[in-house]
Amino acid sequence: MTIHSLNTKRAGRSTEARVAAQDWRVLVTELNVNGCAVMPDLLSPEECADIAALYPHEEHFRSHVVMARHGFGKGEYRYFRYPLPDLIEGLRSALYPRLATVANDWNEKMGLALRYPAEHAAFLKRCHDEGQVRPTPLLLQYGPGDFNCLHQDLYGALAFPLQVAVLLSEPGEDFTGGEFVLIEQRPRTQSRAEVVPLKRGDAVIFAVHNRPVQGTKGYYRVNLRHGVSRLRSGRRHTVGIIFHDAR
């Protein structure tokens, strides 16, 4: 398996088309109401298998993290190095402009001055100017008993408020358990859990850190963390698409 097997101009064009084909009116509504939304069938089974097959090949990655060594949970993941596979780079570039519109709307509602540029390249330049130059898209691998503790993927002072995870394995066939979990902490009330059902090739968009919620006196800010529940059996791969780079 070489990284060039995912590097094609066709893949770059198809990512724009498949992102545009999603029902963004529904997706934006779901993001505003629940802090997450599912894009069905974003990747084909063949694409899922191709990306997952990269995991053992260290030359495609800049670092390898074993979660248990850091108290992150159990399981492991690897951060891609630049240049990213074209399929992942294409998705990152195609998704960002639509999500930047949501992000700017959220910041306005939360009274935050920061606004995000329309193009991902311009946002990455801001990251690099802040010393955040390491790529953050990652490939995660879980086996029986593995899980991912609740966390936020911030990586530096400049963080884009939405990210995307694509499930590369088929629930019920490749693995059992291992549900994606989002926890929302609202002021002066108990936390709310959202368990997101996904099929192979589905992608979940979710809030990284904060999002606005409509209250009786206007919008207020809630805090979110995400994780993965314990895998009962099998093996689970996920690709994470994070739009800011890391220090």
Side-chain angles (χ1 to χ4, degrees):
M1 172 67 60
T2 69
I3 205 164
H4 297 291
S5 67
L6 295 174
N7 283 355
T8 66
K9 292 183 179 179
R10 267 191 320 173
R13 289 196 297 270
S14 68
T15 54
E16 295 177 4
R18 74 182 80 186
V19 167
Q22 295 286 325
D23 191 337
W24 282 95
R25 180 185 61 82
V26 171
L27 292 173
V28 171
T29 298
E30 286 289 315
L31 286 169
N32 286 330
V33 172
N34 296 313
C36 63
V38 174
M39 293 183 287
D41 301 317
L42 187 66
L43 296 183
S44 70
E46 294 77 16
E47 289 168 330
C48 290
D50 284 346
I51 296 173
L54 293 176
Y55 194 85
H57 302 277
E58 296 183 3
E59 65 269 23
H60 305 314
F61 304 96
R62 65 172 177 85
S63 66
H64 178 201
V65 177
V66 177
M67 295 185 201
R69 295 176 184 169
H70 306 277
F72 296 164
K74 289 183 65 181
E76 56 186 73
Y77 53 89
R78 288 180 164 171
Y79 289 104
F80 284 99
R81 66 171 69 249
Y82 280 133
L84 302 175
D86 274 5
L87 182 60
I88 296 171
E89 177 63 33
L91 288 173
R92 206 182 189 204
S93 298
L95 287 164
Y96 173 87
R98 296 175 184 274
L99 298 182
T101 300
V102 177
N104 286 331
D105 177 61
W106 282 8
N107 277 10
E108 182 177 355
K109 289 173 178 174
M110 291 187 292
L112 301 176
L114 179 62
R115 296 294 182 269
Y116 301 94
E119 299 299 326
H120 190 233
F123 177 64
L124 281 183
K125 184 178 185 305
R126 285 190 188 179
C127 290
H128 296 172
D129 289 345
E130 292 289 329
Q132 296 177 212
V133 297
R134 295 187 297 163
T136 49
L138 70 165
L139 186 55
L140 302 101
Q141 178 173 275
Y142 301 88
D146 290 351
F147 62 93
N148 197 345
C149 294
L150 295 171
H151 64 283
Q152 298 168 327
D153 296 311
L154 297 177
Y155 300 116
L158 188 59
F160 191 71
L162 291 150
Q163 69 188 70
V164 174
V166 188
L167 184 61
L168 304 178
S169 308
E170 186 64 57
E173 294 182 13
D174 299 324
F175 70 96
T176 60
E179 295 88 357
F180 177 85
V181 180
L182 191 67
I183 300 294
E184 184 174 273
Q185 298 170 299
R186 300 191 177 196
R188 298 176 296 281
T189 189
Q190 293 181 329
S191 297
R192 181 179 72 92
E194 184 86 11
V195 178
V196 182
L198 298 169
K199 307 185 307 296
R200 178 178 56 194
D202 289 352
V204 56
I205 312 166
F206 58 97
V208 173
H209 185 204
N210 298 126
R211 76 175 185 95
V213 172
Q214 177 74 62
T216 56
K217 299 180 180 179
Y219 287 95
Y220 62 93
R221 194 181 310 181
V222 299
N223 189 57
L224 297 103
R225 295 180 296 160
H226 65 278
V228 173
S229 70
R230 179 170 57 89
L231 214 72
R232 265 62 174 183
S233 65
R235 179 165 287 186
R236 179 189 192 274
H237 287 97
T238 308
V239 64
I241 300 174
I242 298 166
F243 296 95
H244 48 274
D245 278 353
R247 279 196 169 275

